[in-house]
Amino acid sequence: MGAVLLKKKRKKKLCFSISYMLNLRIFFSLIGGKDRRSGLILTIPLCLEQTNMDELSVTLDYLLSIPSEKCKARGFTVIVDGRKSQWNVVKTVVLMLQNVVPAEVSLVCVVKPDEFWDKKVTHFCFWKEKDRLGFEVFEKFTKESTSLLDELALINNGSDKGNQQEKERSVDLNFLPSVDPETVLQTGHELLSELQQRRFNGSDGGVSWSPMDDELLAQPQVMKLLDSLREQYTRYQEVCRQRSKRTQLEEIQQKVMQVVNWLEGPGSEQLRAQWGIGDSIRASQALQQKHEEIESQHSEWFAVYVELNQQIAALLNAGDEEDLVELKSLQQQLSDVCYRQASQLEFRQNLLQAALEFHGVAQDLSQQLDGLLGMLCVDVAPADGASIQQTLKLLEEKLKSVDVGLQGLREKGQGLLDQISNQASWAYGKDVTIENKENVDHIQGVMEDMQLRKQRCEDMVDVRRLKMLQMVQLFKCEEDAAQAVEWLSELLDALLKTHTRLGDDAQETKVLLEKHRKFVDVAQSTYDYGRQLLQATVVLCQSLRCTSRSSGDTLPRLNRVWKQFTIASEERVHRLEMAIAFHSNAEKILQDCPEEPEAINDEEQFDEVEAVGKSLLDRLTVPVVYPDGTEQYFGSPSDMASTAEHIRDRMKLVSLKRQQLRHPEMMTTES
């Protein structure tokens, strides 16, 4: 409780003193700026009035109580503005700084007009006592430089001798000394410059000034320390560079081994586990997707490989001779493993792509075979020969397409088998015979199955083709049989309408009879042809297990027409034969010589001629009667009248000849 009261009293007294100083217009300025040592800058503006040391000390104590201990440890840079003050006041302030805070002030700058410095040279003689400001700077530099030299020597010697403990210690310290060598060297150079300047500066009155013994001894000591620091610092920089390079090399080697170990370990195991090619398009696509995932994992390590390769190339371009062999060895090892693994990935990808194409061709061929089989399994009933020809053409096209598909499947399968046979080259010593045998058996099984299915379809196509050809033949037979009926009908029609003449004499009638017999032979051939076609139709229908479209009416029509033709032909033959007998007897009578008496007394010939003529005339008027009761006349009525007229004329000549033979005198009178 008493300490608290004492502290409050001191604070109250300090506040009173500060208030008093402010009334006296004594101002110090702690503006917050920093020098290059990160120390705070303290500005003291002086006025014309004489300043009391106690008042300055109180004000300085207050200002120095504001910053933290860490800020105070960096030191202060004091700027004394003496442009409006006398030189004695400036000296008083500097002396006060020397006595009050010598350890916390790093640099004191006095601001005076240029003409002031032209008139006098000032020296504050801070070296006369050991507790003065300059000596403490020297002592601080000596302590820091000596400690720094020990640390640098320990680091450098440890690196040269290869002492493992020192190396470990240097590694623990990250190769950094306790103080910054650059800062210590800069401090030493500034101290040496100050010492050299003091050595050649004079007193206030311009009289030559002699430095003290401490100052004379300090300068060579500072120079020696600086030389040693520069030497050790240069060695330290080289050690850091070498160790940094070694660390970088070790890091690269570690990363290289990580890449190599993964590629030769888990990466290779992933590839060795993926040996199948799938048994369908979907299975091959699933394997491709899995392979893409494996490639994605490899891509990450390949990216590391590219980065490492670039780093190694940069080190090779700027590396030492002793590191070239090791770097090249690492680069070669990394490249060999990565290229081998990339080749394996590419091989696997090509194998899966070939398998996918093989299964795609197999699926297309299977669909073609299913379509062809479905077409063959459906019974067809074409309407005509054109439909049959179109169906046969479609079958041939489908069979040809199947042949092309099977040939493509064989090519794809053989290419896939060739790739599988090369798989053992990257198996890393693993026996892949069993896995390859499964793949080979699957490929060969697919090709053999497609070959058997194609062969079955070919057999069915042959059967269907034979059936179609038989159907074509059946339709042709039916059409030709119908055509034979038409031809026979035309022959019958021609016989009745055009074969009406009986000839003018016996010779002509015989010619007509011969022509008629040939005409009958043509009709007989037509009838026989139609019968054969109908018999073939029956056989084909039995083979095809179907019924003929015209088997119910073609044969009756053919038989009916042939019966009609036979009746008409026989009637025609009878008429021609009667005409031949008539003309022969008539011509014999008309051509006999009157000197032959036997001819005159042969009345029977005249009677026969007359009887045959009358019978022939009567036959010309009788129609042809068919079995169904229908009647048909030969030729038109005019044709019949013309033929009958000719016969009557011949009969008149025969009658006239008979009368001449009976009454010759009458023939003479008439003559």
Side-chain angles (χ1 to χ4, degrees):
M1 189 69 176
V4 174
L5 293 175
L6 181 59
K7 185 176 182 180
K8 288 183 178 181
K9 289 181 179 181
R10 289 180 178 177
K11 186 175 182 181
K12 183 176 181 181
K13 181 179 180 181
L14 180 59
C15 292
F16 176 80
S17 300
I18 294 304
S19 177
Y20 175 74
M21 291 299 108
L22 291 175
N23 290 330
L24 293 177
R25 296 183 180 179
I26 299 177
F27 298 101
F28 285 15
S29 177
L30 191 60
I31 61 176
K34 295 183 180 181
D35 57 14
R36 55 187 174 181
R37 300 185 187 88
S38 298
L40 297 176
I41 299 176
L42 178 63
T43 304
I44 304 177
L46 299 179
C47 55
L48 296 176
E49 291 81 9
Q50 185 68 28
T51 304
N52 188 282
M53 288 291 292
D54 295 334
E55 297 171 351
L56 290 174
S57 178
V58 172
T59 305
L60 187 60
D61 288 339
Y62 171 74
L63 289 176
L64 293 179
S65 66
I66 296 175
S68 63
E69 295 298 329
K70 186 176 180 181
C71 294
K72 293 179 182 180
R74 299 191 188 101
F76 290 84
T77 295
V78 182
I79 301 176
V80 181
D81 187 2
R83 292 175 294 177
K84 297 181 180 181
S85 175
Q86 297 180 358
W87 180 243
N88 293 331
V89 176
V90 174
K91 283 186 176 182
T92 302
V93 173
V94 174
L95 290 175
M96 181 271 301
L97 292 173
Q98 176 183 348
N99 295 325
V100 176
V101 285
E104 295 176 348
V105 177
S106 300
L107 178 64
V108 178
C109 298
V110 179
V111 181
K112 294 291 284 183
D114 292 339
E115 57 270 19
F116 173 81
W117 299 109
D118 293 338
K119 295 179 180 179
K120 58 176 63 179
V121 179
T122 304
H123 179 62
F124 293 106
C125 297
F126 285 171
W127 291 84
K128 291 183 179 180
E129 300 293 337
K130 288 185 179 293
D131 59 349
R132 289 179 299 181
L133 184 62
F135 183 78
E136 292 180 0
V137 174
F138 170 74
E139 187 179 36
K140 180 180 179 182
F141 168 72
T142 303
K143 181 179 179 182
E144 290 180 352
S145 60
T146 303
S147 176
L148 181 59
L149 284 173
D150 293 340
E151 293 177 0
L152 294 177
L154 182 63
I155 295 173
N156 296 335
N157 294 335
S159 176
D160 295 338
K161 295 179 180 180
N163 187 299
Q164 187 64 27
Q165 295 181 352
E166 292 179 355
K167 282 186 178 181
E168 292 178 357
R169 179 173 177 268
S170 62
V171 171
D172 294 337
L173 294 175
N174 295 322
F175 307 111
L176 295 177
S178 59
V179 293
D180 183 17
E182 294 287 347
T183 303
V184 177
L185 285 172
Q186 184 178 0
T187 302
H189 285 299
E190 292 177 353
L191 180 59
L192 181 61
S193 176
E194 179 68 21
L195 292 174
Q196 290 175 349
Q197 183 179 1
R198 292 178 182 179
R199 182 174 180 181
F200 297 103
N201 286 341
S203 62
D204 294 346
V207 182
S208 177
W209 170 79
S210 298
M212 300 178 60
D213 293 338
D214 291 339
E215 296 183 30
L216 293 175
L217 294 175
Q219 183 175 345
Q221 187 176 358
V222 172
M223 294 177 62
K224 183 178 180 180
L225 289 173
L226 286 174
D227 293 338
S228 300
L229 280 175
R230 281 193 292 266
E231 179 182 359
Q232 291 295 335
Y233 184 54
T234 302
R235 291 181 58 194
Y236 168 73
Q237 289 178 325
E238 180 63 22
V239 168
C240 290
R241 190 184 68 83
Q242 292 293 335
R243 290 184 176 177
S244 175
K245 185 175 66 175
R246 173 54 56 183
T247 302
Q248 185 179 6
L249 187 60
E250 290 176 353
E251 291 178 354
I252 291 177
Q253 185 177 9
Q254 183 180 4
K255 291 182 180 179
V256 168
M257 294 312 299
Q258 288 179 352
V259 175
V260 171
N261 292 336
W262 190 91
L263 293 178
E264 292 183 345
S268 298
E269 286 297 329
Q270 289 179 351
L271 284 177
R272 280 196 291 267
Q274 298 293 318
W275 54 267
I277 60 173
D279 56 358
S280 63
I281 293 180
R282 181 174 298 178
S284 296
Q285 290 176 345
L287 289 174
Q288 272 193 334
Q289 184 176 1
K290 179 64 177 177
H291 183 72
E292 290 176 357
E293 295 175 359
I294 296 175
E295 282 186 335
S296 178
Q297 296 180 12
H298 279 74
S299 298
E300 298 177 359
W301 290 98
F302 287 155
V304 178
Y305 155 71
V306 173
E307 181 180 357
L308 289 175
N309 197 32
Q310 293 176 352
Q311 294 178 3
I312 293 174
L315 291 177
L316 287 174
N317 293 331
D320 297 334
E321 294 293 335
E322 59 184 10
D323 299 330
L324 293 179
V325 177
E326 185 176 0
L327 287 173
K328 289 182 178 180
S329 176
L330 286 174
Q331 188 180 38
Q332 187 64 37
Q333 180 184 10
L334 183 62
S335 298
D336 291 343
V337 173
C338 290
Y339 279 115
R340 183 170 61 248
Q341 200 75 358
S343 300
Q344 295 167 11
L345 289 171
E346 183 180 5
F347 177 85
R348 175 64 179 169
Q349 177 63 30
N350 294 336
L351 182 65
L352 291 176
Q353 184 62 34
L356 183 62
E357 293 176 358
F358 171 78
H359 290 125
V361 174
Q363 180 174 321
D364 293 340
L365 179 59
S366 179
Q367 293 176 353
Q368 292 177 2
L369 289 171
D370 291 340
L372 180 58
L373 183 61
M375 183 178 178
L376 293 171
C377 291
V378 176
D379 195 10
V380 294
D384 51 21
S387 300
I388 294 176
Q389 294 295 335
Q390 184 177 1
T391 304
L392 286 175
K393 182 179 180 181
L394 182 59
L395 283 175
E396 295 296 338
E397 291 177 353
K398 285 184 173 295
L399 189 59
K400 184 177 180 181
S401 177
V402 168
D403 288 335
V404 174
L406 183 59
Q407 182 63 30
L409 181 67
R410 289 170 179 168
E411 294 176 358
K412 295 293 184 182
Q414 187 59 46
L416 186 57
L417 290 174
D418 294 340
Q419 291 189 20
I420 291 176
S421 63
N422 296 328
Q423 188 174 7
S425 61
W426 54 271
Y428 286 109
K430 180 183 177 182
D431 187 8
V432 294
T433 305
I434 299 178
E435 291 83 352
N436 284 342
K437 186 176 185 304
E438 293 181 4
N439 294 332
V440 170
D441 292 343
H442 170 69
I443 296 170
Q444 293 177 347
V446 170
M447 291 192 293
E448 292 174 358
D449 179 64
M450 293 300 173
Q451 177 64 37
L452 291 176
R453 292 177 60 185
K454 187 246 184 185
Q455 186 63 44
R456 288 195 296 268
C457 287
E458 284 182 342
D459 296 340
M460 295 180 68
V461 168
D462 292 338
V463 174
R464 177 58 60 86
R465 185 187 295 112
L466 179 60
K467 183 177 180 180
M468 291 292 182
L469 293 177
Q470 288 179 345
M471 295 184 71
V472 171
Q473 190 175 3
L474 174 62
F475 292 156
K476 182 65 176 175
C477 290
E478 291 177 345
E479 292 174 359
D480 291 347
Q483 186 65 44
V485 174
E486 294 295 329
W487 288 343
L488 194 58
S489 298
E490 291 175 359
L491 290 175
L492 175 60
D493 189 61
L495 175 62
L496 294 173
K497 291 181 179 181
T498 61
H499 294 203
T500 60
R501 294 184 67 254
L502 298 178
D504 295 337
D505 51 27
Q507 183 65 34
E508 184 180 0
T509 303
K510 290 179 181 179
V511 172
L512 289 176
L513 180 60
E514 184 65 26
K515 288 183 178 180
H516 176 71
R517 287 173 179 170
K518 293 181 179 179
F519 184 77
V520 171
D521 292 339
V522 172
Q524 181 69 47
S525 300
T526 303
Y527 172 72
D528 294 340
Y529 177 66
R531 291 279 298 185
Q532 292 173 1
L533 290 174
L534 290 176
Q535 290 176 358
T537 301
V538 172
V539 174
L540 290 173
C541 287
Q542 292 176 353
S543 176
L544 295 172
R545 298 179 181 180
C546 66
T547 58
S548 174
R549 298 174 300 175
S550 59
S551 60
D553 61 345
T554 304
L555 183 59
R557 285 177 55 209
L558 179 64
N559 292 330
R560 183 175 64 253
V561 174
W562 175 246
K563 186 64 177 179
Q564 292 175 354
F565 182 86
T566 302
I567 294 174
S569 175
E570 290 177 353
E571 179 64 24
R572 173 68 174 169
V573 170
H574 289 161
R575 292 183 181 186
L576 288 174
E577 289 178 347
M578 291 178 66
I580 291 174
F582 172 76
H583 286 300
S584 297
N585 291 329
E587 290 174 358
K588 185 177 180 181
I589 292 174
L590 294 175
Q591 293 177 0
D592 286 343
C593 297
E595 291 83 9
E596 297 179 359
E598 63 276 7
I600 298 173
N601 296 321
D602 191 2
E603 291 290 337
E604 294 180 358
Q605 293 182 358
F606 289 99
D607 294 336
E608 183 179 358
V609 170
E610 184 176 0
V612 172
K614 289 181 178 180
S615 297
L616 184 58
L617 289 175
D618 293 338
R619 196 145 192 155
L620 290 176
T621 60
V622 177
V624 178
V625 180
Y626 297 140
D628 57 356
T630 59
E631 298 178 351
Q632 185 69 40
Y633 289 92
F634 277 95
S636 63
S638 60
D639 294 334
M640 293 175 60
S642 176
T643 302
E645 184 66 24
H646 179 70
I647 294 173
R648 290 189 185 97
D649 290 342
R650 180 59 64 95
M651 290 178 66
K652 288 180 180 180
L653 291 176
V654 171
S655 179
L656 182 61
K657 183 69 176 178
R658 186 175 186 179
Q659 292 177 3
Q660 289 178 355
L661 292 176
R662 287 180 179 180
H663 307 283
E665 64 280 1
M666 294 178 61
M667 292 301 298
T668 305
T669 303
E670 290 179 1
S671 300

